[in-house]
Amino acid sequence: MEFDGWLKNLVCLVEDLLIENGLDPIAAQYINLTINILVLILLVLGINHLIKTFVIEGFKAFTNKTKTTFDDFLIKTKFPKYIGRVVPLFILYYLFPFIFNDFPLVIKVFEFVFNIYVIFLVVWIFRSFMRTLKAFLKTQESFKDKPVESYIQVVMIVVWIIALLFIFAEITGESVVKFIISLGAASAILLLVFKDTILGFVASIQVTVNDIVRIGDWITFSKYGADGTVTEINLSTVRVQNFDNTFTTIPTYSLISDSFQNWRGMQESPGRRIKRAIFIKQNSVKFMTDANLEELKKIQLIEPYLENRQNEINSYNEAQNIDRSLPINGRNQTNLGIFRKYVDTYLQNHSAVHKELYIIVRHLAPTSQGIPVEILCFSRDKRWENFEYISADIFDHIIAAVPYFGLQLFEAPSGDDITKYLRQASESKD
């Protein structure tokens, strides 16, 4: 109290001196007010400069010496700058009523503006801290693939809502509790306005809890034309960098409501699947004669198989006294069956094919294009470009090997093929 009395006398010092020297009291009052305002401004600016020079710069020097990165992010998000405003703001709040003691209306306006500014300052300080936390967590290995930004956004939305409630309460003069109760009638409108935010928040929680998508995952979302790596997951959107370096944004709640493909399982597995079919003309499939088999024995990969298999078939046919004048009688090998065995052996011996995962060569149901022979295996190298090279290498060989087995690949005739056929038909008639 003694300090307050001394401060009040100091504020009125110039006014008292001017009145003692015969100046009009009203003029003395305004001159004194002007001088006090200038002193207050210089005092606040001076203290702000000192805090900026010594405290903030000292904090920067301290962060440069520490090993942790959290304080470095505090500097980048201007956290010390916002904290530094508290001291001059406190001094302004304390001295202002003494200077404007004779102007209650000015004090009332000042208190209103001051309270609004304090609300914003608290939000800025909290926002700076949350940005620091977000940047720091992104450097931690365990949080790199987590949608941290979604939760930061949710927290900031809640903070801003609370801040707006206090601002409206300050403007209207009502208590915050009463103001919140009055908002109950407008809850439906609020839900409509924040529908996407609420859906995104719920979706981001489900995405995290169920581990549906992580930052760094490769996803394919045909509905939105996305095919690439997830770079960001926030409250409203998921950002995907496509392989052509374009970006696609997907609503977060679409990850829950729609179907998409996540390639993480492939990336974490020991191999990447190769699944493709070639179409064999059905009329090129035939039983093999002894001469055909002798010719195929020149193919080293299947020579042991042909020897063992043919011995087994001959023993069976002899034991059953099968009439071998027709190949359809008894057991016999087909060129397609031998081709399938060749492809299977080729894959088993291919250095780029993972031997501990499935290797399957199978028939699918015949179609109008022929008999699909599907090859299913896994490459050891999962990198996209190498995977494509491996796949192409395998099928280059398989396609080139087809004619050696007396088989033909189906290919729809082109205009040139039809023209050639018609010319040959015309020549044959002539």
Side-chain angles (χ1 to χ4, degrees), residues 177-312:
V177 176
K178 188 175 180 181
F179 189 76
I180 292 174
I181 294 174
S182 64
L183 286 176
S187 59
I189 298 175
L190 290 175
L191 289 174
L192 182 63
V193 171
F194 293 103
K195 182 191 73 172
D196 291 341
T197 302
I198 294 170
L199 288 174
F201 173 58
V202 173
S204 62
I205 291 176
Q206 289 181 311
V207 164
T208 303
V209 172
N210 298 323
D211 199 20
I212 297 173
V213 174
R214 302 175 189 167
I215 295 174
D217 282 357
W218 169 17
I219 68 170
T220 301
F221 210 140
S222 301
K223 180 179 178 180
Y224 295 95
D227 186 14
T229 305
V230 176
T231 59
E232 183 181 316
I233 302 175
N234 56 42
L235 195 60
S236 55
T237 59
V238 175
R239 195 165 185 250
V240 178
Q241 183 174 11
N242 300 310
F243 292 118
D244 58 359
N245 287 329
T246 60
F247 288 91
T248 302
T249 54
I250 302 169
T252 305
Y253 57 80
S254 294
L255 299 177
I256 306 300
S257 60
D258 295 322
S259 177
F260 68 98
Q261 193 170 15
N262 190 334
W263 296 85
R264 189 201 313 159
M266 178 275 295
Q267 293 172 326
E268 293 177 349
S269 70
R272 183 172 177 179
R273 189 184 70 174
I274 300 172
K275 184 181 179 183
R276 198 176 299 176
I278 60 173
F279 290 82
I280 303 295
K281 284 187 176 181
Q282 299 186 59
N283 61 3
S284 67
V285 180
K286 61 183 180 180
F287 290 114
M288 302 301 288
T289 64
D290 292 338
N292 296 143
L293 292 173
E294 289 301 319
E295 185 66 23
L296 288 179
K297 285 180 183 179
K298 295 178 182 179
I299 302 175
Q300 294 181 350
L301 278 179
I302 56 170
E303 181 185 4
Y305 165 78
L306 290 175
E307 288 282 356
N308 295 332
R309 181 65 172 165
Q310 194 58 37
N311 289 336
E312 178 186 338

Side-chain angles (χ1 to χ4, degrees), residues 1 70 78 96 100 109 115 119 125 129 187 192 219 248 275 353 364 378 396 428:
M1 294 299 294
F70 187 81
K78 301 179 181 179
F96 197 90
F100 290 89
V109 173
N115 291 338
I119 293 171
I125 291 173
F129 178 79
S187 59
L192 182 63
I219 68 170
T248 302
K275 184 181 179 183
V353 174
L364 299 180
F378 291 81
D396 286 349
S428 63

Side-chain angles (χ1 to χ4, degrees), residues 8-27:
K8 187 174 182 180
N9 293 331
L10 181 64
V11 168
C12 298
L13 179 62
V14 174
E15 181 181 356
D16 294 339
L17 290 175
L18 292 174
I19 292 174
E20 289 177 1
N21 285 278
L23 189 67
D24 183 70
I26 296 178

Side-chain angles (χ1 to χ4, degrees), residues 116-131:
I116 298 295
Y117 181 79
V118 167
I119 293 171
F120 278 107
L121 182 60
V122 171
V123 173
W124 291 336
I125 291 173
F126 189 80
R127 182 185 63 180
S128 175
F129 178 79
M130 296 305 292
R131 287 179 175 177

Side-chain angles (χ1 to χ4, degrees), residues 275-281 336 339-340 342-343 361-367 369-376 391 394-403 405 407-411:
K275 184 181 179 183
R276 198 176 299 176
I278 60 173
F279 290 82
I280 303 295
K281 284 187 176 181
L336 183 57
F339 173 71
R340 286 190 295 108
Y342 170 79
V343 174
V361 182
R362 61 173 183 165
H363 286 180
L364 299 180
T367 68
Q369 285 81 35
I371 302 174
V373 177
E374 185 179 72
I375 291 89
L376 190 151
S391 301
I394 290 173
F395 279 89
D396 286 349
H397 182 90
I398 291 173
I399 292 171
V402 169
F405 296 85
L407 296 167
Q408 295 179 19
L409 290 172
F410 173 84
E411 187 174 36

Side-chain angles (χ1 to χ4, degrees), residues 11-232:
V11 168
C12 298
L13 179 62
V14 174
E15 181 181 356
D16 294 339
L17 290 175
L18 292 174
I19 292 174
E20 289 177 1
N21 285 278
L23 189 67
D24 183 70
I26 296 178
Q29 182 183 26
Y30 281 101
I31 292 173
N32 181 74
L33 178 63
T34 303
I35 294 173
N36 286 333
I37 291 175
L38 291 174
V39 171
L40 180 61
I41 292 174
L42 292 174
L43 180 63
V44 171
L45 291 177
I47 293 174
N48 186 64
H49 179 72
L50 289 174
I51 291 175
K52 185 177 180 180
T53 303
F54 295 102
V55 178
I56 296 179
E57 294 300 326
F59 187 82
K60 288 181 180 179
F62 171 76
T63 57
N64 292 333
K65 294 180 180 179
T66 58
K67 296 181 179 180
T68 60
T69 57
F70 187 81
D71 47 9
D72 296 326
F73 290 120
L74 286 174
I75 294 292
K76 291 180 180 179
T77 57
K78 301 179 181 179
F79 183 80
K81 175 184 175 181
Y82 293 127
I83 291 294
R85 293 181 183 178
V86 173
V87 175
L89 196 65
F90 173 78
I91 293 173
L92 179 65
Y93 181 77
Y94 184 75
L95 295 180
F96 197 90
F98 287 98
I99 296 175
F100 290 89
N101 185 49
D102 298 326
F103 303 90
L105 182 61
V106 175
I107 294 176
K108 187 175 181 180
V109 173
F110 167 77
E111 288 180 346
F112 173 78
V113 175
F114 180 85
N115 291 338
I116 298 295
Y117 181 79
V118 167
I119 293 171
F120 278 107
L121 182 60
V122 171
V123 173
W124 291 336
I125 291 173
F126 189 80
R127 182 185 63 180
S128 175
F129 178 79
M130 296 305 292
R131 287 179 175 177
T132 301
L133 184 63
K134 179 183 71 174
F136 175 73
L137 291 178
K138 282 187 175 180
T139 62
Q140 306 301 304
E141 193 65 33
S142 56
F143 287 93
K144 281 185 176 180
D145 56 356
K146 300 297 187 296
V148 176
E149 190 165 347
S150 296
Y151 299 109
I152 298 296
Q153 288 179 335
V154 171
V155 172
M156 285 311 305
I157 287 174
V158 173
V159 170
W160 274 112
I161 290 174
I162 295 173
L164 290 174
L165 289 176
F166 276 98
I167 290 172
F168 282 121
E170 189 69 27
I171 293 172
T172 58
E174 301 287 347
S175 67
V176 176
V177 176
K178 188 175 180 181
F179 189 76
I180 292 174
I181 294 174
S182 64
L183 286 176
S187 59
I189 298 175
L190 290 175
L191 289 174
L192 182 63
V193 171
F194 293 103
K195 182 191 73 172
D196 291 341
T197 302
I198 294 170
L199 288 174
F201 173 58
V202 173
S204 62
I205 291 176
Q206 289 181 311
V207 164
T208 303
V209 172
N210 298 323
D211 199 20
I212 297 173
V213 174
R214 302 175 189 167
I215 295 174
D217 282 357
W218 169 17
I219 68 170
T220 301
F221 210 140
S222 301
K223 180 179 178 180
Y224 295 95
D227 186 14
T229 305
V230 176
T231 59
E232 183 181 316

Side-chain angles (χ1 to χ4, degrees), residues 378-426:
F378 291 81
S379 67
R380 292 184 181 275
D381 197 329
K382 295 176 288 183
R383 290 172 295 179
W384 187 22
E385 62 276 20
N386 293 347
F387 167 79
E388 294 295 343
Y389 295 150
I390 294 167
S391 301
D393 178 70
I394 290 173
F395 279 89
D396 286 349
H397 182 90
I398 291 173
I399 292 171
V402 169
Y404 287 89
F405 296 85
L407 296 167
Q408 295 179 19
L409 290 172
F410 173 84
E411 187 174 36
S414 64
D416 290 340
D417 295 328
I418 296 173
T419 303
K420 184 178 178 181
Y421 173 78
L422 293 175
R423 185 182 300 115
Q424 291 175 348
S426 176

